Amino acid sequence: MLQTIIIGKSSNLSKTLSIKLSNYAVISSREIINNIDVLKEFKNKKINIIFNNFQPATELNTLHNAQKYVTNSILVTAKVLDYFKDTRINKIIYTSSSSVYGNNILCNEQDELKPLNLHASLKVANEKLVEKFSGDNNIDYTIARIFNMYGGDDNFSIISKIIKAYKTNQELTIVNNGNAIRDFIHIDDVVEIYIKLLGLKNIPILNVGTGNGVSIKTIIDYLKNNQIEVLFKNINKNELKASTADNQLLINLIGEKTFKEVQQFLKEELKI
């Protein structure tokens, strides 16, 4: 029976996928680094691989240990691919990020990649590694460029920080007055798309986003208009000004879909 191997145990996406998938195994990056033979039982099986391994989201902007950062971000991917090079791999999904596009108001899969920071650059490197490996070994693969995911066991997204700030009556730090535009997609929608991708072929790159952008300022104003006051302070620094998915390819593949709206999610979480 076809089994799906998910790499990256601490990933929010891995945890939610494991609820929805039936025949799967989740392996941590640490286990793979310590002993690659943790994968031995899958070597002679027909498998899918989902790569959710990367530097922990809460540590993306720190470089306390450069070697650990690179190991978590790309070496684990390389070790797994090397180990399974003679295995019957049905499909590979690599979890990438919209950050690979840089500043782009409507990101299309064919657009030039313009990563602006280290973690986005390492995502591009992973994409190229998976693309090369899969092409050389005639393996079907999909690079899933996820936009701003929230929900589930999330303690990283600005949405989770808004909820925490309100519930704890703490001050939220926003950047550039919250004017940046983002495409927020709920993790349940992402998982639904991933499960469908496992059964689809010849989709090398796919934007995983709603196609709608909204600013943090708009979200905070929406909450305020519904008697939810979030305390915040502003800082000014360089950031992506806009990032929204051109998701026409996604819609062509899965059909018209109603994505969970971030405002509706906040309504439920904050009981507006």
Side-chain angles (χ1 to χ4, degrees), residues 74 77 94-98 100-101 113 120-134 141 143-145 204-205:
I74 192 166
T77 308
Y94 178 74
T95 299
S96 189
S97 164
S98 60
V100 300
Y101 291 113
L113 303 184
S121 298
L122 285 168
K123 282 290 187 184
V124 174
N126 271 282
E127 288 191 11
K128 297 302 181 184
L129 179 61
V130 170
E131 177 186 355
K132 175 65 173 170
F133 176 87
S134 300
Y141 72 97
I143 304 296
R145 293 176 179 158
I205 302 172

Side-chain angles (χ1 to χ4, degrees), residues 218-242:
T218 298
I219 292 171
I220 291 175
D221 287 346
Y222 167 83
L223 293 175
K224 186 175 182 179
N225 290 337
N226 284 275
Q227 290 73 55
I228 297 291
E229 194 80 35
V230 178
L231 302 174
F232 65 89
K233 65 178 179 181
N234 180 66
I235 61 171
N236 294 311
K237 69 176 186 179
N238 290 332
E239 67 167 343
L240 291 177
K241 293 180 176 61

Side-chain angles (χ1 to χ4, degrees), residues 9-71:
K9 186 173 284 186
S10 62
S11 158
N12 183 21
L13 182 54
S14 295
K15 292 172 186 175
T16 310
L17 276 167
S18 67
I19 297 170
K20 300 293 185 179
L21 290 171
S22 54
N23 191 24
Y24 70 93
V26 184
I27 312 295
S28 75
S29 297
R30 185 177 302 174
E31 290 176 290
I32 291 166
I33 293 166
N34 291 338
N35 180 15
I36 190 66
D37 281 332
V38 70
L39 299 170
K40 187 174 181 179
E41 66 176 288
F42 312 110
K43 198 170 179 66
N44 296 314
K45 296 180 178 180
K46 188 175 182 181
I47 59 173
N48 298 314
I49 306 174
I50 298 177
F51 285 102
N52 291 334
N53 56 291
F54 205 69
Q55 177 77 343
T58 54
E59 300 173 24
L60 284 180
N61 297 314
T62 61
L63 195 62
H64 300 309
N65 185 324
Q67 182 176 335
K68 183 179 178 182
Y69 197 118
V70 173
T71 295

Side-chain angles (χ1 to χ4, degrees), residues 71-207:
T71 295
N72 288 338
S73 299
I74 192 166
L75 181 59
V76 170
T77 308
K79 286 174 73 74
V80 172
L81 292 176
D82 276 344
Y83 191 81
F84 284 135
K85 63 184 176 182
D86 297 319
T87 299
R88 294 178 300 157
I89 301 175
N90 176 65
K91 186 177 186 73
I92 294 172
I93 297 178
Y94 178 74
T95 299
S96 189
S97 164
S98 60
S99 64
V100 300
Y101 291 113
N103 279 310
N104 191 332
I105 187 64
L106 189 61
C107 308
N108 182 273
E109 287 88 351
Q110 302 307 313
D111 286 348
E112 180 183 357
L113 303 184
K114 297 180 180 179
L116 299 179
N117 50 44
L118 177 61
H119 75 262
S121 298
L122 285 168
K123 282 290 187 184
V124 174
N126 271 282
E127 288 191 11
K128 297 302 181 184
L129 179 61
V130 170
E131 177 186 355
K132 175 65 173 170
F133 176 87
S134 300
D136 287 353
N137 293 281
N138 196 30
I139 296 169
D140 188 77
Y141 72 97
T142 298
I143 304 296
R145 293 176 179 158
I146 300 179
F147 283 67
N148 289 69
M149 188 171 70
Y150 67 95
D153 186 22
D154 169 30
N155 59 4
F156 172 71
S157 77
I158 186 63
I159 303 306
S160 72
K161 292 173 182 175
I162 288 172
I163 294 168
K164 181 179 179 181
Y166 177 72
K167 289 184 174 180
T168 60
N169 200 34
Q170 293 179 346
E171 199 172 51
L172 172 73
T173 299
I174 64 172
V175 178
N176 301 328
N177 298 305
N179 288 319
I181 294 172
R182 296 290 183 267
D183 186 334
F184 293 101
I185 183 165
H186 193 272
I187 193 167
D188 288 347
D189 290 322
V190 175
V191 166
E192 179 185 335
I193 291 163
Y194 267 49
I195 291 171
K196 290 183 178 180
L197 277 175
L198 289 172
L200 298 174
K201 298 289 186 183
N202 302 316
I203 310 158
I205 302 172
L206 184 68
N207 285 338

